[in-house]
Amino acid sequence: MDTAFSRFQAEDRGEGYAFAARLLQALRAQAQSFNLDPGAVALAQEIAALPEGLSERERLTLTALVMVMLADVRQGSTRTPLREAHLTAQLRLLLDPRGRDDAGLAARIVQAIPPLLEDPRLSPILGRAEGDYRPLLLIDGWLYQQRMCFVEGQLAQRLGGRLRAGAARVEGLSAALADIAARRVAHLRPTAEQIHAVERALSQALTLIAGGPGTGKTSIIVTLLQALTRLGVEPEQIRLAAPTGKAAWRMRASIQAGLEGLIEPAEADLRLLKEMPAPQTLHRLLGYAPRADRFLHHAQHPLPAQVVIIDESSMIDVFLMARLAAAVPPDARLILLGDPDQLPSVEAGAVFRDLLDAPAAQAHAVRLTESFRMRADAEEGRALLSVARRINEGRVDLFGPGQVQRVEAPEALRQAGVELINADGPQLERFLRWWYRARIEGGAALKAARRRRWRLNGEDEDALDEIFQRTAAARLLCLTRSTEMGAVHINTRLHAYAALAERRSPETPFLPGEPVMMLHNDYDRRLFNGDQGLVLDVEGELMAVFMGEEGYRAFGLSALSASGARARLELCYAMTVHKAQGSEFEQVGVMLPILDGPLLSRELLYTAVTRARRGVILVGAPERVERAVRRRVRRDSGLAQRLG
């Protein structure tokens, strides 16, 4: 880039801008580190080409600015701060994976941005007020995409109305809660903070219930349902949903287990068991029609519901939350549950976290603190809980007794608590072979179950439950899909081991017993992005079997995509941390990247660690763990500011 910088300086002496191709090539190469498609550079160039009369240098400066904005959005921000430090840091990473700027190129480009943004020639693409219909908006030192600004404003308006609504007294609630507690075994009775959450949720138009893994959020949902039926709300007037199919299924299973475990259930509880509203994905709840790209329910056609309860709300982006807020009737209660310390949504916005940070929402928020999943009275539970808390607090003193234990060889791993093994380079293959033998291959009974011929007529349900549970006990979690430590490469290696064991070619797309995951929504078959299943021999045909609301369903591998099974379906021995949200496992291995990058963060590590109930293996260098803990996901949003 030294040559590029010298040519950039030479622009002032009329020597041209010949290094543009090299600079654009660098942007394309580094787009992947921000999970941007390489086509993002072409989009930035198209936007920069719209204003007339700009010099080549000005167009490249504008291209670089748009790339920073796209990178910010991909990292979850709804707007880009035009602060010099932020622009320079992002542009450095967009030009070099190590974030170096030895020649000062990023700084030089950033210095050219303020005068360019004041140039009236940018008026065809740059507005300066929220009502301006331009691709970009410059408002109070923030650069927005117009659609992002519009949706954020709409969401703030709708949620603000709910926050301003006063709390109402609920007659008979105390008696209902007392009766609910009396019908549960002692250790499952609602705690004081859970009762407080239920009281808030039933008296307000909007309630935010925030808590880490295992803090009883699902138990609160069960208590809410029991209380609502006792207070006269019909089950069909309640809606339950979560962002993903997996999270919705877990929500349903947890509610079912909670209701079935009651002591002498009341008539209202028995009715709930029979008529309980089935949790759905948010898209299904809102009636999304993919072919028309429209939603059935919106402000003019709201949901027919008195209460809407949403789990895993931290995963909801600003666009989907805006759709939800519009579709919930003004007189209905909206209850959002989630963990604000987890990774925010894949798309732009950190709505749940922003709401919790807004001063206007404090009276509507309840924060849960006690964990019931990672029990502090067991050694491995204490270690998991301690490490998760230290990560969340940004503490790097993670190594020591009762914390992260360093292990030199895979064979020495205890698979309990939190352990770290440095498996870079040749050691990675050794670790993966150990993981395959220890967590995937299984004993003779499991091997036989994978090779048997199945029938989905109810007779095999118990055996299917067992093989699904055994296979889902452990997962490798990756930062990204690409790179040596990414999900695609890890799945390819583990698939090769399985093929070798079965004496099959590694080129065979899928083998019996392999875990798979949907990559896209298939609305016709009611399969959704992130749904996980197993490849099994079903009555003589190799099929993908999924567990859902109606029990087990099987689909021919070729039927899942017209252009080949792997277009919509992929192996998931390993999956990204984002895809793992809403899931929990006995054991997880966290594959830390060899090179640092903007996606390695405290929230990612916290989310990965808290997916486990018993053991976590961190795979990578100790300094990567420390770097992750020090880096917070920064999402710039105007939602909390708009709410006041």
Side-chain angles (χ1 to χ4, degrees), residues 389-602:
R389 284 174 175 169
R390 285 170 182 256
I391 291 171
N392 198 28
E393 293 167 1
R395 296 173 57 180
V396 297
D397 55 335
L398 297 174
F399 300 92
Q403 306 296 326
V404 180
Q405 301 298 307
R406 301 193 194 205
V407 178
E408 296 299 323
E411 295 74 19
L413 289 163
R414 296 189 314 122
Q415 304 181 61
V418 186
E419 301 170 286
L420 180 137
I421 181 169
N422 195 339
D424 289 350
Q427 291 298 318
L428 176 60
E429 192 75 13
R430 183 181 177 185
F431 170 78
L432 291 178
R433 286 185 181 277
W434 172 85
W435 179 269
Y436 179 79
R437 292 192 301 269
R439 305 301 311 184
I440 297 172
E441 192 172 32
L446 186 57
K447 289 178 182 177
R450 288 169 175 160
R451 293 170 181 169
R452 68 178 280 184
R453 181 168 292 185
W454 296 88
R455 293 173 297 176
L456 303 187
N457 57 6
E459 296 179 14
D460 288 342
E461 188 168 333
D462 289 343
L464 279 169
D465 286 344
E466 182 180 356
I467 190 174
F468 265 75
Q469 290 169 9
R470 291 279 298 274
T471 306
R475 279 292 186 276
L476 292 176
L477 306 182
C478 305
L479 183 66
T480 63
R481 286 174 48 78
S482 57
T483 75
E484 184 181 2
M485 303 292 275
V488 173
H489 177 76
I490 301 299
N491 280 324
T492 300
R493 296 306 308 142
L494 294 171
H495 175 68
Y497 303 152
L500 181 64
E502 295 292 321
R503 298 182 180 180
R504 302 283 296 275
S505 168
E507 301 302 318
T508 306
F510 300 105
L511 300 168
E514 290 196 303
V516 289
M517 180 171 61
M518 288 292 294
L519 293 179
H520 304 284
N521 294 328
D522 187 331
Y523 293 92
D524 293 333
R525 294 178 175 84
R526 300 193 312 281
L527 292 173
F528 300 96
N529 186 7
D531 283 357
Q532 298 170 47
L534 285 176
V535 175
L536 297 172
D537 181 338
V538 180
E539 299 184 356
E541 181 183 354
L542 205 59
M543 306 185 81
V545 180
F546 294 87
M547 181 168 48
E549 298 170 9
E550 305 88 356
Y552 290 99
R553 298 185 299 146
F555 303 91
L557 296 176
S558 60
L560 293 180
S561 173
S563 59
R566 275 201 170 170
R568 287 178 179 258
L569 197 70
E570 77 171 1
L571 296 164
C572 73
Y573 293 111
M575 60 199 302
T576 63
V577 178
H578 266 295
K579 290 286 189 184
Q581 285 185 272
S583 299
E584 62 178 65
F585 309 95
E586 287 294 319
Q587 178 87 38
V588 300
V590 184
M591 311 302 292
L592 299 170
I594 295 173
L595 294 176
D596 190 19
L599 300 181
L600 183 63
S601 67
R602 182 186 308 176

Side-chain angles (χ1 to χ4, degrees), residues 6 58 66 138 202 237 276 307 312 358 397 403 416 627:
S6 64
E58 289 168 330
V66 174
L138 178 58
L202 295 182
Q237 288 295 314
M276 181 187 78
V307 181
E312 299 289 353
D397 55 335
Q403 306 296 326
R627 181 66 64 89

Side-chain angles (χ1 to χ4, degrees), residues 143-172:
L143 186 66
Y144 278 95
Q145 292 184 36
Q146 187 274 338
R147 67 187 186 109
M148 206 79 72
C149 185
F150 176 75
V151 170
E152 187 177 85
Q154 275 196 328
L155 177 60
Q157 184 179 9
R158 295 188 188 282
L159 295 182
R162 291 184 172 276
L163 293 176
R164 289 188 292 272
R169 180 178 173 81
V170 182
E171 296 292 338

Side-chain angles (χ1 to χ4, degrees), residues 170-178 180 195 198-200 202-203 227 231:
V170 182
E171 296 292 338
L173 180 56
S174 296
L177 290 173
I180 290 167
I195 290 174
V198 171
E199 291 172 340
R200 284 278 188 90
L202 295 182
S203 64
L231 295 172

Side-chain angles (χ1 to χ4, degrees), residues 238-302:
I238 304 170
R239 294 293 183 274
L240 302 169
T244 67
K246 179 70 172 179
W249 182 86
R250 280 192 58 226
M251 187 181 187
R252 177 180 180 274
S254 298
I255 293 171
Q256 187 93 14
L259 292 173
E260 289 176 349
L262 297 176
I263 301 171
E264 297 184 9
E267 183 179 342
D269 301 321
L270 295 174
R271 186 181 178 192
L272 260 182
L273 269 170
K274 184 178 179 181
E275 303 176 21
M276 181 187 78
Q280 308 171 73
T281 65
L282 274 171
H283 281 83
R284 192 172 180 185
L285 173 72
L286 299 176
Y288 179 62
R291 291 184 176 87
D293 193 25
R294 292 180 181 174
F295 289 83
L296 173 64
H297 295 291
H298 43 74
Q300 285 70 47
H301 185 219

